[in-house]
């Protein structure tokens, strides 16, 4: 037993020594562990595929589905922290508040870790060289949603003249929120609304609800409130594309839906975030007026470099991307609308 353990340690040592971090050391290969909070999330599925596409030629990757349960994901993470073959952990948490305990655990075994998409609290990353965060910049996503809205209405005066459906002199909107406590929910919501105010709009949030990033929940939400608000709604802002698409699904079921004209002219504009492939398609089909790209391709490039730098102990002073908060990298959103197509 002892002998086997020694041999495997020696193999691990050789693998660890490989300067490029390429894993081809026989059956005891080390790997990178990728944890996704739920395979059912449209955006995270594309993210996970992109990670595998970019990293697959350099490393072997084991992917874990957290099935939206933090306690289930904790078991997966702990077992990979203790697994000597796992050299690097990429974690999309179910609950971002779980980060603290995980950082403390990886510190004891000196294993590097990147949290992606669900951001730990700043203090959780403050005292470690092993833990990083890579994700979107939700403040910029929200502001860009406001800009896209303004692009459609062409200023508040023009809105009042041409688009104010109940002629009450204010922009009446429905805000569809993601998951409660998620940094992208909080900041996209806040900045889309404050961004519109900064652009000179008087705003009235008719109604808002957490729809957990989910298309069906959002469809059902709109179905529930639509009868009451249908003559007032001037705009729907959604924290992501899937929930925007849920609202669109519902509007397409309405009697006055006319597929011959853009859905935003038929009803009112709906603005999302992500530019998932289904989201992009809805913009092209003139169903969703616009969205903001959640630039996961750049996020994966940063992740790729972080892995390379940490596994090879390269000095972080030469890292090609700039940190914008403690051990964190946030990518800017990019406008996608009828005008940018
Ligand atoms: C994306 C959502 C996704 C969520 C998952 C957000 O950044 O915009 O589409 O459901 O992350 O955590």
């Amino acid at each position: 037993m002892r002998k086997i353990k020694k041999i495997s340690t020696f193999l691990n040592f050789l693998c660890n020594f490989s300067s490029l971090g390429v894993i081809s050391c026989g059956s005891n290969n080390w790997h990178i562990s990728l944890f996704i909070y739920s395979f059912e999330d449209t955006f995270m599925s594309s993210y996970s595929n992109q990670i595998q596409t970019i990293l697959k030629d350099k490393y072997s990757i084991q992917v874990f589905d957290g099935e939206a349960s933090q306690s289930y994901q904790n078991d997966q993470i702990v077992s990979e922290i203790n697994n000597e073959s796992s050299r690097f952990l990429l974690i999309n948490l179910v609950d971002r508040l779980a980060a603290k305990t995980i950082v403390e655990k990886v510190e004891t075994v000196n294993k590097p870790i990147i949290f992606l998409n669900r951001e730990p609290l700043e203090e959780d990353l403050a005292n470690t060289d092993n833990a990083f965060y890579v994700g979107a910049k939700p403040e910029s996503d929200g502001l860009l949603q406001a800009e896209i809205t303004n692009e459609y209405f062409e200023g508040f005066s023009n809105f009042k003249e041409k688009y104010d459906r109940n002629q009450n002199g204010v922009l009446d909107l429905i805000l569809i929120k993601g998951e409660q406590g998620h940094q992208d929910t909080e900041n996209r919501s806040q900045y889309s609304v404050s961004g519109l105010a900064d652009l000179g709009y008087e705003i009235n949030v008719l109604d808002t609800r957490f729809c957990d990033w989910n298309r069906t929940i959002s469809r059902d939400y709109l179905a529930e409130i639509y009868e009451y608000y249908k003559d007032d709604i001037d705009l729907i802002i959604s924290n992501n594309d899937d929930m925007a698409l849920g609202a669109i699904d519902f509007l397409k079921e309405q009697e006055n839906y006319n597929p011959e004209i853009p859905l935003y002219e038929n009803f009112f504009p709906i603005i999302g975030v992500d530019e998932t492939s289904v989201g992009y398609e809805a913009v092209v089909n003139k169903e969703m007026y616009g969205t903001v790209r959640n630039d996961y391709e750049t996020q994966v490039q940063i992740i790729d470099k972080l892995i390379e730098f940490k596994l090879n102990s390269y000095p972080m002073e030469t890292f090609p991307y700039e940190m914008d908060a403690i051990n964190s990298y946030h990518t800017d959103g990019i406008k996608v609308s009828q005008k940018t197509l």
Side-chain angles (χ1 to χ4, degrees):
M1 186 60 191
R2 230 194 197 157
K3 230 180 197 166
I4 293 174
K5 172 90 173 137
K6 263 199 185 138
I7 291 168
S8 98
T9 312
F10 179 64
L11 280 172
N12 279 332
F13 171 74
L14 283 182
C15 296
N16 294 358
F17 212 69
S18 143
S19 72
L20 273 178
V22 176
I23 306 156
S24 54
C25 305
S27 60
N28 203 24
N29 283 349
W30 49 266
H31 62 264
I32 286 178
S33 316
L34 170 61
F35 305 88
I36 300 294
Y37 92 95
S38 164
F39 280 6
E40 286 186 8
D41 185 292
T42 309
F43 174 73
M44 287 318 303
S45 297
S46 309
Y47 205 132
S48 166
N49 289 340
Q50 179 73 3
I51 290 179
Q52 293 175 71
T53 307
I54 298 299
L55 300 184
K56 73 174 185 311
D57 295 337
K58 302 182 200 169
Y59 316 104
S60 92
I61 302 168
Q62 279 189 23
V63 195
F64 300 83
D65 180 1
E67 297 181 16
S69 156
Q70 189 58 60
S71 61
Y72 183 59
Q73 191 185 54
N74 280 343
D75 291 345
Q76 297 173 327
I77 293 173
V78 169
S79 111
E80 285 299 275
I81 291 176
N82 295 331
N83 179 352
E84 282 182 18
S85 306
S86 171
R87 287 301 320 285
F88 209 116
L89 272 55
L90 304 178
I91 305 182
N92 172 223
L93 288 166
V94 177
D95 174 358
R96 67 197 191 106
L97 300 182
K100 188 177 183 325
T101 326
I102 295 166
V103 172
E104 284 165 6
K105 274 205 163 56
V106 289
E107 279 295 288
T108 61
V109 289
N110 204 21
K111 213 173 253 196
I113 177 174
I114 301 173
F115 293 106
L116 49 110
N117 171 266
R118 290 171 172 230
E119 187 166 17
L121 302 179
E122 218 179 348
E123 63 256 32
D124 297 343
L125 300 180
N127 299 311
T128 171
D129 294 330
N130 275 323
F132 298 87
Y133 173 69
V134 178
K137 200 183 282 174
E139 302 80 8
S140 113
D141 300 334
L143 291 176
L144 292 175
Q145 285 188 301
E147 280 182 25
I148 294 172
T149 305
N150 188 46
E151 171 191 302
Y152 181 74
F153 292 136
E154 297 178 313
F156 188 47
S157 311
N158 195 55
F159 160 78
K160 282 193 283 189
E161 214 173 287
K162 296 200 191 124
Y163 296 100
D164 185 1
R165 294 183 59 241
N166 61 7
Q167 287 296 304
N168 67 347
V170 294
L171 174 61
D172 293 298
L173 65 90
I174 301 284
L175 180 60
I176 307 181
K177 291 184 177 180
E179 220 175 319
Q180 189 162 20
H182 193 301
Q183 78 286 337
D184 290 344
T185 300
E186 308 303 333
N187 292 318
R188 284 176 191 162
S189 300
Q190 182 186 332
Y191 282 84
S192 55
V193 174
S194 69
L196 279 167
D198 292 346
L199 288 164
Y201 288 77
E202 267 180 63
I203 302 142
N204 174 34
V205 179
L206 290 169
D207 204 76
T208 183
R209 193 176 293 174
F210 295 106
C211 290
D212 295 344
W213 306 117
N214 182 290
R215 185 168 178 158
T216 312
I217 297 177
S218 167
R219 186 232 157 259
D220 294 348
Y221 165 51
L222 199 60
E224 192 184 310
I225 61 166
Y226 190 68
E227 203 42 44
Y228 189 70
Y229 290 120
K230 68 175 179 205
D231 299 326
D232 298 317
I233 306 172
D234 297 314
L235 169 73
I236 291 186
I237 296 260
S238 169
N239 286 165
N240 81 344
D241 283 354
D242 255 22
M243 297 187 298
L245 291 168
I248 291 168
D249 292 340
F250 174 75
L251 293 174
K252 285 165 91 173
E253 293 163 21
Q254 302 312 297
E255 252 172 37
N256 60 335
Y257 167 62
N258 177 357
E260 303 297 317
I261 56 171
L263 189 124
Y264 42 84
E265 284 171 17
N266 199 160
F267 296 95
F268 37 77
I270 299 178
I271 321 282
V273 177
D274 277 341
E275 203 201 18
T276 53
S277 47
V278 273
Y280 178 74
E281 210 176 292
V283 177
V284 171
N285 293 340
K286 301 191 184 305
E287 293 171 350
M288 179 153 72
Y289 179 76
T291 184
V292 177
R293 184 183 310 155
N294 185 344
D295 189 2
Y296 66 86
E297 286 169 356
T298 302
Q299 290 168 36
V300 173
Q301 281 171 19
I302 298 171
I303 290 170
D304 181 23
K305 275 278 161 217
L306 273 173
I307 297 173
E308 185 189 326
F309 266 60
K310 289 310 284 180
L311 287 184
N312 294 290
S313 304
Y314 293 155
M316 286 306 284
E317 295 77 57
T318 60
F319 194 67
Y321 297 92
E322 210 179 313
M323 268 182 206
D324 57 355
I326 300 171
N327 288 4
S328 300
Y329 301 84
H330 300 87
T331 59
D332 283 319
I334 297 164
K335 263 196 256 181
V336 182
S337 75
Q338 302 305 318
K339 292 236 165 90
T340 68
L341 283 180

